[in-house]
Amino acid sequence: MCGIIGYIGKKKDSLDVLIKGLKNLEYRGYDSAGIALKDSKIEIIKAEGKIKNLENKLKNVKSTNLGIGHTRWATHGGATEINAHPHKVGKVTIVHNGIIENYIELKKKLQKDGYSFKSETDTEIACAIIDKLYKKEKNKIKVLKKANGILKGSYAFGIIFDDDDKLYAMRKDSPLIIGIGKEENYIASDAPAILEFTNKYMLLEKNEYAVLDKDKVEIYNEKLQKIVKKVHTYAGTKETAMKNGYEHFMIKEINDEPEVFENLIKQFDIKDIETLKKSMPSFKKYNAIDIIGCGSAYHTGLVGKSIIEKLAKIPVNVELASEYRYKDNFSNKKTLTIFISQSGETADTLAALRKVKEKGFDTLGIINTEASSIAREADKVLYIKAGAEISVATTKAYSAQVLMLILIAIVLGYNEKTVSKQVANNILKDIKMLSNNIKQTIKQEKECKILAKDIYKAKDVFFIGRQIDYSLCMEGSLKLKEISYIHSEAYAAGELKHGTISLIEENTPVIAVVSDETIEEKTISNIKEVKARGANVTLITTKKILNKYKNADFYDQSISIAEDNILIPIHIVAILQLLAYHVAKQKGLDIDKPRNLAKSVTVE
Ligand code: AGP
């Protein structure tokens, strides 16, 4: 949710590292930010809003050898300077990512002990707990362990003490890495944040504590035994986390899709179905699949359900992680539960994974962020290799997740003998062409731009489709909502006449997705129903279907894709991604950092 950064080094570089790191972490939360610099004393500077507001306050600030920084996505207390991190109580200064669930009861106890608080945050309470413990116990690692025993919730902390020139960190559930440099070391919420300084990092696991000095890092496990950690090398390059000349990360990441699909399929041998099957995990023992995710990851699951059920005739149950974790589930040992997550850190999806693991059922993660929590805790993981995705609105990761599910569906279908070798190999032929063919679809950006001019002033927009098209509409609608702030709804086309059609009036924009020929006519009859009530209909379909309705009067404009095979959803969603992008662009909005959102939702 929030972004944490910390620096300790021989060179007085903290200011440069903290600000550059916070800018790289801004997609995690951007309603306020702050830094604390430690020299002979601790100087804290905070500001409301984006990092640039903080930067404007740093003109006369001297850099130091030690500092911590934070960019915030408010959970407790408004987006104000007072509530911004770092927070300092007594001898302790802290930055925090996560939520302290028992902060209210702790606050009451601390107030009885004479503590008073400036902010409305849960973090200041955690800071006071550490300060109170530090009054009695001078071994700082023991203090952090005790605090970990008192605090409830999910958290990662960066901590500095008044009387010490070291950087401390601890983690429970929220992500935190330790960056390893030459005569300097770092803490950060993720590796790309410090990539311009080092690509060497260690992963801090749950209930582990770190003490960083200029030239050494000590890690302690939950029994406070000193442990040696593996040093990982981050695969991505700084460039993958840059805009490469595009105006926004979102449009850059849509244009990354050809290369992303190349990278994804490269990790498998897709010469033919037999080689693919060998290069994939075995799915032989499963006769049912559960797919779990949040937001767009959930929508990916819905598309995967249609394709797996179509090819393999295996029942697929798709669930929202935030619902799944609190309800009875009827899976069993023959059910494979697939967890989809770009960040690999989404709290609800992580908790759902732990629930299934507790039951001893098999879990598979379809993940983008390497070595993330869900990737590490799932029994098996398939990486989608989309590279760093910075824009809050997911695009390339969504599409790569759909491609991964299509590969899994082919293998399942082949295992179940519902897909012949010939059919499987033909689909693999299409997949080998995908990276090229998607470029043609992305070139239709100009048509999306024109269409966006008709839509950007709308108050409401409706997306309608049936079956897999309905699932695609759900993603199209979410994309539009999250970056353009226009209210939109995705609807199963056959459902409209049961109520919602009352909202359709003269010129109401309706985006109708028709790519599945098996139900094309049914969907078109529903389109005619909204057209008859004055809707302005945009038809998004395949050239093959459009050719049948060249001069039909049930749509006002159309965008059609050339692809005509099982990969159609990946092309259709690229159009929906481009449309949402250009609507938000017409409105001049902050496309990569939409209000109220964050890239990785690490709180429940
Ligand atoms: C999508 O554009 C949003 N950023 C959001 O719905 C996202 O898909 C959801 O929070 C899940 O994130 P994850 O894939 O990182 O788990």
Side-chain angles (χ1 to χ4, degrees):
M1 216 71 182
C2 304
I4 286 178
I5 186 97
Y7 170 83
I8 182 161
K10 268 228 167 51
K11 288 177 278 169
K12 285 188 177 305
D13 268 3
S14 63
L15 207 45
D16 179 47
V17 172
L18 296 181
I19 295 302
K20 283 187 177 145
L22 286 178
K23 283 183 178 165
N24 294 334
L25 287 167
E26 208 171 10
Y27 69 91
R28 301 177 67 89
Y30 32 85
D31 59 41
S32 56
I35 58 172
L37 303 175
K38 173 111 186 357
D39 203 346
S40 53
K41 59 181 183 41
I42 293 179
E43 183 180 6
I44 294 179
I45 306 113
K46 307 197 270 189
E48 233 176 277
K50 304 253 164 70
I51 305 293
K52 65 180 177 299
N53 298 352
L54 176 65
E55 265 186 302
N56 297 342
K57 290 186 166 187
L58 302 174
K59 302 238 172 350
N60 310 320
V61 174
K62 267 190 347 35
S63 188
T64 62
N65 301 99
L66 171 57
I68 52 178
H70 184 272
T71 180
R72 184 168 184 246
W73 190 90
T75 53
H76 296 88
T80 64
E81 191 174 323
I82 290 284
N83 291 336
H85 302 202
H87 289 282
K88 184 174 189 341
V89 177
K91 291 190 169 50
V92 181
T93 304
I94 200 172
V95 287
H96 166 219
N97 172 22
I99 278 189
I100 310 296
E101 287 164 3
N102 58 343
Y103 82 106
I104 293 177
E105 73 196 65
L106 293 174
K107 186 172 186 174
K108 291 196 187 101
K109 290 193 190 123
L110 288 163
Q111 284 167 327
K112 285 204 190 85
D113 301 330
Y115 279 91
S116 60
F117 300 99
K118 302 191 202 80
S119 78
E120 304 156 89
T121 66
D122 51 342
T123 305
E124 197 180 2
I125 309 305
C127 194
I129 290 287
I130 296 170
D131 181 66
K132 181 180 171 205
L133 292 166
Y134 186 49
K135 285 189 178 124
K136 298 199 189 78
E137 167 61 71
K138 289 307 162 199
N139 174 321
K140 293 182 176 80
I141 292 298
K142 284 190 180 157
V143 165
L144 297 184
K145 177 170 170 52
K146 283 199 178 122
N148 196 9
I150 294 170
L151 301 172
K152 299 251 172 310
S154 63
Y155 41 82
F157 293 124
I159 308 147
I160 44 182
F161 291 82
D162 283 7
D163 58 3
D164 184 321
D165 288 335
K166 292 194 177 77
L167 173 57
Y168 294 80
M170 63 185 273
R171 161 174 194 232
K172 176 171 168 293
D173 289 339
S174 298
L176 198 70
I177 60 117
I178 311 290
I180 309 298
K182 287 196 186 57
E183 298 182 331
E184 52 194 7
N185 294 305
Y186 313 81
I187 62 170
S189 295
D190 59 39
I194 52 173
L195 203 49
E196 60 199 280
F197 306 108
T198 179
N199 64 353
K200 302 279 178 233
Y201 68 99
M202 297 194 279
L203 291 158
L204 205 61
E205 294 297 351
K206 189 174 177 173
N207 301 329
E208 289 184 348
Y209 310 90
V211 185
L212 287 74
D213 207 337
K214 300 179 182 60
D215 44 21
K216 80 174 186 305
V217 173
E218 293 168 346
I219 309 282
Y220 296 82
N221 63 15
E222 59 188 304
K223 296 194 186 75
L224 299 192
Q225 300 150 331
K226 210 183 269 184
I227 54 174
V228 178
K229 301 281 289 186
K230 176 170 176 256
V231 176
H232 299 260
T233 302
Y234 184 74
T237 61
K238 172 89 185 99
E239 279 60 42
T240 57
M242 291 162 74
K243 283 190 198 143
N244 296 356
Y246 289 94
E247 191 181 349
H248 298 98
F249 278 108
M250 184 175 177
I251 191 69
K252 178 251 180 196
E253 287 158 3
I254 293 172
N255 282 282
D256 280 350
E257 291 178 10
E259 190 194 340
V260 165
F261 300 149
E262 254 341 294
N263 294 341
L264 188 154
I265 54 180
K266 248 195 234 128
Q267 61 186 314
F268 305 109
D269 179 348
I270 65 166
K271 206 167 29 271
D272 62 36
I273 184 60
E274 289 295 348
T275 56
L276 172 62
K277 192 176 158 190
K278 289 201 186 75
S279 57
M280 272 258 180
S282 167
F283 301 116
K284 270 226 164 307
K285 72 183 227 191
Y286 309 116
N287 62 9
I289 301 223
D290 279 358
I291 301 180
I292 315 296
C294 300
S296 293
Y298 166 75
H299 294 157
T300 307
L302 294 171
V303 173
K305 170 184 170 70
S306 297
I307 296 172
I308 292 171
E309 290 184 345
K310 183 176 178 181
L311 290 185
K313 311 293 180 223
I314 285 179
V316 178
N317 169 41
V318 186
E319 303 253 6
L320 288 165
S322 52
E323 292 293 306
Y324 182 87
R325 61 183 293 190
Y326 292 115
K327 72 184 230 352
D328 291 338
N329 305 300
F330 307 99
S331 46
N332 59 49
K333 282 209 171 308
K334 286 186 165 293
T335 305
L336 172 66
T337 308
I338 300 178
F339 295 85
I340 303 180
S341 176
Q342 186 287 127
S343 62
E345 300 292 352
T346 301
D348 285 319
T349 310
L350 182 57
L353 167 70
R354 290 177 176 156
K355 181 176 177 179
V356 173
K357 289 199 67 160
E358 270 158 33
K359 288 190 176 162
F361 300 155
D362 293 351
T363 58
L364 167 69
I366 294 182
I367 309 293
N368 189 34
T369 308
E370 308 236 347
S372 55
S373 304
I374 297 172
R376 293 200 313 272
E377 295 188 27
D379 301 313
K380 292 201 178 82
V381 61
L382 289 173
Y383 285 117
I384 60 170
K385 306 274 181 192
E389 190 177 63
I390 307 295
S391 179
V392 167
T394 185
T395 52
K396 61 179 180 176
Y398 170 97
S399 304
Q401 288 158 359
V402 170
L403 179 57
M404 186 66 87
L405 287 166
I406 292 173
L407 288 168
I408 292 172
I410 304 167
V411 173
L412 287 167
Y414 186 63
N415 290 347
E416 298 295 315
K417 301 197 174 14
T418 50
V419 170
S420 68
K421 182 177 272 187
Q422 186 53 51
V423 170
N425 289 338
N426 287 346
I427 298 175
L428 291 178
K429 258 203 223 95
D430 294 333
I431 289 176
K432 287 167 192 160
M433 306 281 289
L434 175 62
S435 175
N436 240 356
N437 294 348
I438 195 74
K439 289 180 187 148
Q440 303 322 311
T441 303
I442 293 172
K443 281 204 188 104
Q444 293 178 262
E445 179 182 353
K446 48 188 178 306
E447 293 167 65
C448 299
K449 211 172 175 173
I450 296 164
L451 179 59
K453 290 202 176 90
D454 293 343
I455 290 177
Y456 82 100
K457 288 200 183 110
K459 209 164 51 48
D460 306 291
V461 174
F462 293 88
F463 290 75
I464 63 171
R466 283 178 178 251
Q467 305 287 319
I468 197 167
D469 293 332
Y470 171 37
S471 304
L472 293 170
C473 284
M474 291 174 91
E475 180 58 12
S477 174
L478 178 63
K479 277 290 94 61
L480 185 69
K481 272 186 282 204
E482 65 180 320
I483 62 172
S484 75
Y485 316 149
I486 294 175
H487 168 253
S488 81
E489 283 192 52
Y491 249 79
E495 261 304 287
L496 270 152
K497 54 187 171 294
H498 301 289
T500 304
I501 199 163
S502 64
L503 296 175
I504 302 295
E505 52 195 12
E506 203 53 35
N507 275 328
T508 299
V510 171
I511 312 284
V513 175
V514 185
S515 74
D516 186 340
E517 288 179 79
T518 61
I519 33 134
E520 155 200 325
E521 282 166 19
K522 300 299 175 200
T523 312
I524 288 171
S525 62
N526 300 130
I527 298 173
K528 289 178 178 168
E529 289 157 6
V530 293
K531 188 72 195 135
R533 286 152 181 85
N536 178 303
V537 176
T538 299
L539 179 62
I540 298 185
T541 185
T542 63
K543 289 205 179 335
K544 188 170 172 213
I545 292 174
L546 188 66
N547 288 341
K548 295 184 224 168
Y549 305 99
K550 263 266 172 288
N551 308 315
D553 60 1
F554 62 80
Y555 61 92
D556 299 275
Q557 53 273 330
S558 67
I559 299 180
S560 59
I561 55 162
E563 199 77 4
D564 181 28
N565 55 39
I566 204 151
L567 302 170
I568 288 174
I570 294 177
H571 292 263
I572 293 269
V573 88
I575 296 291
L576 297 172
Q577 292 164 351
L578 288 164
L579 178 60
Y581 173 75
H582 279 287
V583 171
K585 193 150 183 273
Q586 287 286 345
K587 296 183 74 171
L589 297 169
D590 187 339
I591 289 170
D592 289 332
K593 296 190 198 74
R595 70 187 183 203
N596 305 342
L597 294 182
K599 183 67 179 172
S600 172
V601 184
T602 53
V603 293
E604 197 183 327

